[in-house]
Amino acid sequence: MLIHYARIAARNILRAPLTALINVLALALGLVSFVAAYAVVGFWGHGEQHFKNADRIYVITAKMALRDGSIATGVVPNTNELYERYLRTDFPEFAAVARANLWSREASISADDRGARVAALAVDPEFLDIFDLPFVAGNPATALKQPNGILLSEAEAMRLFGTTAALGKTVTLGGTLIDTTVTGVIGPIPEPSQLGSSPTASLHFDLIAPYRLYERLRDMVNRPASAAAASDDGASDASADGASGETPPTEGKQAKGQAAQPPQQPENWLGGYCCTTYVLLPKGSKLTAVELNAKLKDFSGRHVPAEQLKLASLDVGAVPVSSLMVTQLNAQLFAGAHVRLSVTTLLFALGMLVLIVACVNYANLATARAARRAREIGLRKVIGASRAQVMGQYFFEAGLLTAASLAIALATVELTAPLLARAVGIDMRLALFEGVGFWGFLVALLIGVTLLGGLYPALVLSRVRPIEALRLGRMRIGPKFASTLLVGTQFAAASFLLIVVIVMGVQNAALKRTGLGTTHDPYLVLNNFARVTGVKADVLREQLQRLPQVKGFTEMGMSPWGQGVNLNLFALKPEQTTGFRTSFDNTVGYDFFSTLGIPVIAGRVFDREHNDLPPPNNQSAPKANSGPPPTRHIVIDRPLAAQLGFASPQAAVGKTV
């Protein structure tokens, strides 16, 4: 029977090769979309699976939304430094808790009289208990427990020293601030991983430092220059050589000459989200993700001050480390969405939509072609073919064409996978031809597309009356509204996809035009932190302005298009405790607005005549008991002026907030 079906299918394909080719290519296009979606989701699902503890590692998440509706983060796998401390006390059953903070992608270091910029990661020592990093040198059990010990990637060791035998060598952090010793060298991290080297890796590192060493470096960088000078003139830095990295508290009475300490401020749970916090469940733990999230449900209620909970809601949860990549993407794409969406659902939905269009196209062409085969159908029924046998013939032909299309689709995905891997770091080949699950997916896809594309032609052709088919030779197949519905569905889905592409193209063009400006002159961003580089801003300005190509110069606290976000709360009166307005905050230098071409609609911008800008913290230190800080001048935008209740931008000029 199958041989007979195959002969009839081959004869019909040879009779209309162009129609068969269109069917195969259309189905292949739809299958490419769906198989590619499966492969991308499969790549994300492989994340961190090469670590032996992967099934016991969870990432702590936070979901914060301000009560005024201005900001909603969605579920993000980021926390501040407070979470780690309280997770240890609240959940002693955890085998390990550790933070990871990529404090800079361009941290300044020096070694053997050579300077370099590196991606620097700070982690708690327990990080090496959670992740079994591929050490090529050093002891994982002790590498991060030494006060000044650091780890280098194998590639960075080669770049700095020309060899991977870097144990015991000295690397200076922060330009010339802290000398450290290499206690380990890490080999390449298998992909996909947040710690890998691909564009999808959120924590790619060249250097790993213990978290307390990073805190010492941060304190040294941020403290005022006068305080640093006092320390250099004889005052000892208690944390410089201590294992703990903290200054021991003074017991008993206040030391003579010691300034009175200001009252302790409440812990800020709404800011400082810098870290990825991991927890490791004990071996043999039966705790599921749902149960862990239930345990974390009241975490914020136990620790976040009530005043902060009045400003924002904060939900704490956890996701398996294998879901980290998807969680990060969901936070970036759907943070403000009012319905729960996932990038995996979106990918499969778009792939399914393209596949449905291809299947409807096949059904239309197959039905139109079948109308010319009415005499063949009638003759087969006259000699005894049953309705099931006629349907079987057309399902068999649909299956052959689908199998050919699926082979083309798999070859296409395999050939284009390296291009996608180089472009965005997603290697679809990891999920192809691997395991029983993939082959089960292919079988289910083959059966599903065969039924979806061949069902309507098979049903209507099996109902053809033999006498009419033999008398007319060809006839209209099925009700008229059915073909109209198929064509309408096909064009509606195709139109939707086309509109999506057009809208995305227009949005990108608008971003280039408005977000990046209309000028053809390029803006260059120079990363210069004076305490580290030793180059002051005025010196850099003077040297750059000597170049005839330089048309403007200004400074920013956070570089444009960066990942850092600094939020501030604004109110009209100092005693106001409710009704705050939240706004993004940045510090800028003189000539900022003219250099970037930002128009001013009311008032004035910062200028040297009014000495608007306060001295940076590395040039002067606040004096003890010197009274309240002086009033600062700020520039706000039109939306913030309206939120603060000013009738117009001009009405806000000169007012105090």
Side-chain angles (χ1 to χ4, degrees), residues 11-182:
R11 184 186 65 185
N12 284 301
I13 290 173
L14 293 176
R15 281 183 177 178
L18 182 60
T19 301
L21 180 62
I22 293 174
N23 273 330
V24 168
L25 294 181
L27 279 177
L29 179 61
L31 288 167
V32 163
S33 302
F34 199 74
V35 171
Y38 172 88
V40 170
V41 173
F43 170 82
W44 290 331
H46 279 72
E48 321 302 341
Q49 293 301 314
H50 43 272
F51 293 115
K52 66 180 181 181
N53 295 327
D55 59 333
R56 299 191 288 130
I57 303 173
Y58 283 81
V59 180
I60 301 300
T61 64
K63 180 182 179 182
M64 184 171 61
L66 295 184
R67 303 292 184 185
D68 62 7
S70 59
I71 294 176
T73 65
V75 178
V76 294
N78 297 101
T79 65
N80 59 27
E81 295 177 342
L82 298 170
Y83 285 73
E84 175 262 347
R85 181 197 316 169
Y86 289 104
L87 285 169
R88 291 181 187 275
T89 58
D90 285 15
F91 301 97
E93 65 269 25
F94 288 157
V97 180
R99 298 163 294 181
N101 178 7
L102 186 65
W103 86 74
S104 176
R105 296 185 183 274
E106 295 183 333
S108 296
I109 66 171
S110 59
D112 288 350
D113 298 325
R114 294 194 306 272
R117 297 275 191 172
V118 299
L121 183 68
V123 301
D124 291 304
E126 292 86 347
F127 185 83
L128 297 184
D129 297 329
I130 298 175
F131 295 98
D132 51 318
L133 300 184
F135 273 72
V136 298
N139 184 358
T142 60
L144 289 181
K145 294 181 179 178
Q146 301 185 28
N148 282 36
I150 63 166
L151 311 178
L152 292 179
S153 69
E154 195 173 24
E156 189 59 32
M158 287 294 298
R159 184 163 73 107
L160 290 176
F161 304 109
T163 176
T164 58
L167 291 183
K169 294 186 179 295
T170 299
V171 175
T172 304
L173 305 183
T176 60
L177 294 179
I178 297 180
D179 287 337
T180 64
T181 302
V182 179

Side-chain angles (χ1 to χ4, degrees), residues 528 530 533-541 619:
N528 177 52
T533 64
V535 180
K536 295 184 178 181
D538 54 352
V539 175
L540 181 61
R541 175 195 294 271
Q619 293 181 5

